[in-house]
Amino acid sequence: MNYKKNISTNIKMLRLSQNMSQAELANSLNLSKAAISLHELSEHTPLTDTIIEISRLFNVKPGVFFSNHKDKKSTKLINVDGLSNTEIKAIATIINNLKKAH
Protein backbone atom coordinates (compact mmCIF):
# COMPACT_ATOMS: atom_id res chain seq x y z
CA MET A 1 0.00 0.00 0.00
CA ASN A 2 1.34 3.42 -0.91
CA TYR A 3 0.80 5.49 2.23
CA LYS A 4 2.71 8.45 0.84
CA LYS A 5 0.30 8.71 -2.11
CA ASN A 6 -2.72 8.21 0.17
CA ILE A 7 -1.57 11.06 2.41
CA SER A 8 -1.09 13.43 -0.52
CA THR A 9 -4.42 12.50 -2.12
CA ASN A 10 -6.32 12.92 1.14
CA ILE A 11 -4.76 16.29 1.97
CA LYS A 12 -5.84 17.57 -1.43
CA MET A 13 -9.30 15.99 -1.15
CA LEU A 14 -9.91 17.57 2.26
CA ARG A 15 -8.64 20.95 1.10
CA LEU A 16 -10.82 20.95 -2.00
CA SER A 17 -13.86 19.74 -0.06
CA GLN A 18 -13.68 23.01 1.86
CA ASN A 19 -13.05 25.11 -1.27
CA MET A 20 -9.71 26.08 0.20
CA SER A 21 -6.68 27.09 -1.85
CA GLN A 22 -3.21 25.77 -1.17
CA ALA A 23 -2.26 29.27 0.02
CA GLU A 24 -5.17 29.33 2.49
CA LEU A 25 -4.27 25.92 3.88
CA ALA A 26 -0.61 26.92 4.11
CA ASN A 27 -1.54 30.09 5.98
CA SER A 28 -3.71 28.13 8.44
CA LEU A 29 -0.78 25.80 9.17
CA ASN A 30 1.99 28.42 9.14
CA LEU A 31 3.57 26.66 6.17
CA SER A 32 4.48 27.87 2.71
CA LYS A 33 2.23 27.28 -0.30
CA ALA A 34 5.18 25.38 -1.80
CA ALA A 35 5.17 22.98 1.18
CA ILE A 36 1.47 22.21 0.65
CA SER A 37 2.10 21.69 -3.06
CA LEU A 38 4.95 19.25 -2.32
CA HIS A 39 2.73 17.35 0.14
CA GLU A 40 -0.08 17.08 -2.43
CA LEU A 41 2.32 15.93 -5.15
CA SER A 42 3.76 13.19 -2.90
CA GLU A 43 7.18 14.79 -3.20
CA HIS A 44 7.43 15.40 0.54
CA THR A 45 5.65 13.59 3.33
CA PRO A 46 4.30 15.94 5.99
CA LEU A 47 5.56 15.67 9.53
CA THR A 48 3.32 13.90 12.03
CA ASP A 49 2.62 17.26 13.71
CA THR A 50 1.45 18.66 10.37
CA ILE A 51 -0.87 15.70 9.80
CA ILE A 52 -2.34 16.23 13.27
CA GLU A 53 -2.84 19.95 12.61
CA ILE A 54 -4.53 19.27 9.27
CA SER A 55 -6.79 16.69 10.90
CA ARG A 56 -7.79 19.23 13.56
CA LEU A 57 -8.39 21.89 10.93
CA PHE A 58 -10.72 19.61 8.94
CA ASN A 59 -12.18 17.85 11.98
CA VAL A 60 -11.10 14.35 10.91
CA LYS A 61 -9.08 11.64 12.60
CA PRO A 62 -5.41 11.48 11.54
CA GLY A 63 -5.97 7.94 10.28
CA VAL A 64 -8.02 9.37 7.41
CA PHE A 65 -4.78 10.38 5.71
CA PHE A 66 -3.66 6.75 5.40
CA SER A 67 -6.92 5.55 3.80
CA ASN A 68 -7.15 4.74 0.14
CA HIS A 69 -10.51 6.25 -0.78
CA LYS A 70 -10.25 4.88 -4.33
CA ASP A 71 -11.07 1.47 -2.87
CA LYS A 72 -14.51 2.69 -1.85
CA LYS A 73 -17.41 3.33 -4.22
CA SER A 74 -18.08 6.82 -2.92
CA THR A 75 -16.43 8.76 -0.17
CA LYS A 76 -17.74 12.17 0.77
CA LEU A 77 -16.82 14.42 3.64
CA ILE A 78 -19.50 16.23 5.57
CA ASN A 79 -18.64 19.41 7.44
CA VAL A 80 -20.29 19.12 10.86
CA ASP A 81 -18.82 22.30 12.34
CA GLY A 82 -21.24 23.92 14.73
CA LEU A 83 -23.28 20.77 15.31
CA SER A 84 -23.56 19.10 18.69
CA ASN A 85 -22.41 15.52 19.27
CA THR A 86 -26.07 14.52 19.45
CA GLU A 87 -26.76 16.08 16.05
CA ILE A 88 -23.68 14.41 14.54
CA LYS A 89 -24.78 11.02 15.90
CA ALA A 90 -28.26 11.58 14.44
CA ILE A 91 -26.73 12.27 11.02
CA ALA A 92 -24.58 9.15 11.30
CA THR A 93 -27.67 7.10 12.17
CA ILE A 94 -29.54 8.46 9.15
CA ILE A 95 -26.62 7.65 6.87
CA ASN A 96 -26.32 4.12 8.24
CA ASN A 97 -30.06 3.54 7.83
CA LEU A 98 -29.90 4.76 4.22
CA LYS A 99 -27.01 2.38 3.54
CA LYS A 100 -28.97 -0.54 4.96
CA ALA A 101 -31.98 0.36 2.79
CA HIS A 102 -29.88 0.09 -0.37
Side-chain angles (χ1 to χ4, degrees), residues 1-38:
M1 196 176 295
N2 188 346
Y3 291 108
K4 192 172 182 179
K5 182 65 177 164
N6 291 347
I7 292 169
S8 66
T9 299
N10 291 321
I11 289 173
K12 185 173 184 178
M13 182 183 70
L14 285 166
R15 177 180 63 77
L16 293 175
S17 76
Q18 298 299 310
N19 296 316
M20 185 180 277
S21 69
Q22 287 182 340
E24 291 169 324
L25 178 57
N27 187 49
S28 296
L29 300 170
N30 293 320
L31 296 173
S32 68
K33 179 185 174 292
I36 299 301
S37 179
L38 290 172

